[in-house]
Structures are given as structure tokens and as C-alpha cells.
Amino acid sequence: PQPLNSAFLVLLVSVVMSPLALGLALLSARTRGKAVDNVISATTLSLAGVPEFVTGILLVAIFSTSVFKILPAVTVLPIGKAPWDRPLSLILPVLTLVFAVTPYLTRILRSTMLEALDSDYAELARLKGIPEGKVLWRHVLPNTIVPTIQVTALQLAWLVGGVVLIEYLFNYPGIGALLVDSVRNSDFPMVQALSIIIAAAYVIVNLLADMASIILTPRARTGMVA
């Protein structure tokens, strides 16, 4: 069940991370140079410089030990129970990973959108009298779908390996905690098997992203047919 538990954790993080990063990038690009953009840029830059284990420890200190004491500090599951049976125990691991990957994704998407906003087709749309909001939604956003998929895939691929430390920190019963225990117990066959699983997941995520990029890019499909 450990690989399934880790996959469920990564899925939850991706469900939260993707729309959050896209929304922040859109808001930042839409308000370029204004106070909102400056706040988002400063916040994401600050969070990007904080290691995920430090973020996890801070969240535990705030929500589990010192301040609010409303969330479990670690995942404690009875025998036969899965992590989704204890949703409160998932909040801190998910938040930690979201804070770890969202800043990078937001900053890269913002840069891609700003480049699209300064492009010739966006300028032509403005000259036709199309409002800036419609330029962003109808012209800029569709042209940033493929970079968004590729960058998101890279972050998800990082999550596959990055969950190791976070799962161990929160005692989450996933592939990361199993890998740490296997290394500690010198269980080399298990370490090799888990390493292969992580590497395979990394390859599969990137392969799916490349396939999606080809499907969504007409020029790439035409080149393949030719």
C-alpha cells in the first residue's frame, strides 16, 4: 500500500498546486508592476528559498504544538486504515509540499505569461480594441497551456522523489518512509525496488507531459505526420 499512499499524496498536492499556481500567475501577470504583483513576487521568492523540511517543522509548530494545536503533528493510522480515512492527518503534509512547489511553478508561469503579453499577437489584439482581460484569457492563456503542462510535469516529477523527506517527517506511511527504513535496515533489494519505482514514475510523468504537449500543439502533430 505504500506506493498507493504516496501516489494519493502527490495527487492531492497536484490538485491544490496547479490551480493555485495558475491563479497566482494570472493575477500577477494581470497586475504587472503593481502592489499585488510585488507582493506575490516577494512572497513566492521568499517561499522558494525555504527548504521543505523547514516549512514542515514551522507548520507543525504553528498548527500542532505551540499556537493552535488543531492538527495532528504526525500521521497515526490504526491497522487496516488508509491515509484518506484520516483526512486531518493529510493537511500538514499536503500544505508543506504545496508551499515547496507552488512558488517555483508560479514564478515560471508568470514569466511565460508576461512574455506572451508582450508578443506581437497580443499587441495586435490590443490594437483591435480588445480589452486587456480578454487578451489575457483568449490569446495569452491558450498559448501558455503547453509550457504550463511541461512545468507542472517537472514539479510533479520532483514530488515523486521529494515526498521522501516529508513522509518521514510526518510519519506518513508512503514510499518515502519505507525507503528511509529500508536504508536504515540495509535492505538493499527493497531500496533498489523503490528506486526503480521512483525512476519509473519520473519517466512516466514526463512522457505523459510530452504526449500532452504534442496533442495540444498543431505544428508538432503536423511535423510527426510529415
Side-chain angles (χ1 to χ4, degrees), residues 48-70:
V50 180
E52 60 268 22
F53 69 90
V54 175
T55 302
I57 293 172
L58 290 175
L59 290 177
V60 169
I62 295 173
F63 294 104
S64 302
T65 58
S66 302
V67 183
F68 296 109
K69 299 180 181 180
I70 57 177

Side-chain angles (χ1 to χ4, degrees), residues 43 48 69-70 117 119-120 160 166 170 173 190 208 214 217 224:
T43 303
K69 299 180 181 180
I70 57 177
L117 282 171
S119 63
D120 293 336
V160 174
I166 300 306
F170 290 102
M190 180 61 72
L208 292 176
I214 293 174
T217 306
M224 291 182 63

Side-chain angles (χ1 to χ4, degrees), residues 163-176:
V163 295
V164 173
L165 182 60
I166 300 306
E167 287 182 353
Y168 186 75
L169 176 64
F170 290 102
N171 194 38
Y172 185 84
I175 193 174

